[in-house]
Amino acid sequence: MRFVEKDRGTAYNLTIKGNTAWEGPQTDTRDETDVTTAGAGTLTAANLFTQKINRDPTGADRTDTTATAALIIAGSPGLPGDGDSFQCWYRNTADADEVALLAGGTGVTVRGDAQVHPGEQVLLSFIRDSSTTVSLY
């Protein structure tokens, strides 16, 4: 599942497993994490759990790798069983033509398009496949 939003003020109707639903335009009050590493970055489990990551590739295309599946599963109250999920917004804040590419840490399989172009914001869905693996959509 890939949701692209060009401006930060738009929300989409969707249902997240676990009794959470977003309805129409709203004010987003979640914490944010800024990643400005001039090189490959690491998206820690703590970064992912803020649910909003802003990435400035700082001068060139960059690859950001998620935490390992073990760290994501251990740190997430949203992944107690197989099939459970949580979501996180990831935004490329580049001021030039710099693409952010997402890669999975050990045990994390990236499924689908992993490129985030300047100005794009994507909704990342992390789904627990087993006690040791997670899929990222």
Side-chain angles (χ1 to χ4, degrees):
M1 203 183 281
R2 186 169 194 232
F3 298 90
V4 177
E5 145 179 307
K6 291 289 183 181
D7 68 295
R8 295 173 72 159
T10 304
Y12 296 89
N13 290 327
L14 58 102
T15 301
I16 302 170
K17 186 173 183 176
N19 299 328
T20 302
W22 294 346
E23 296 289 331
Q26 64 185 24
T27 302
D28 194 341
T29 58
R30 288 173 287 180
D31 291 332
E32 295 185 28
T33 297
D34 294 319
V35 178
T36 57
T37 306
T42 299
L43 304 178
T44 67
N47 294 152
L48 299 172
F49 302 147
T50 64
Q51 296 182 320
K52 262 177 109 169
I53 299 171
N54 297 311
R55 174 54 152 136
D56 183 349
T58 317
D61 294 351
R62 306 290 182 196
T63 299
D64 290 341
T65 303
T66 70
T68 66
L71 291 172
I72 293 170
I73 291 168
S76 174
L79 298 178
D82 295 353
D84 289 334
S85 66
F86 76 93
Q87 295 175 313
C88 174
W89 287 103
Y90 181 92
R91 182 174 189 205
N92 182 340
T93 61
D95 56 2
D97 189 18
E98 303 158 357
V99 175
L101 178 67
L102 295 167
T106 302
V108 178
T109 301
V110 178
R111 303 185 186 279
D113 186 4
Q115 293 185 4
V116 183
H117 295 272
E120 283 187 343
Q121 178 168 292
V122 296
L123 183 60
L124 306 176
S125 295
F126 292 84
I127 301 173
R128 177 176 160 162
D129 296 321
S130 73
S131 62
T132 60
T133 60
V134 172
S135 287
L136 167 57
Y137 291 87

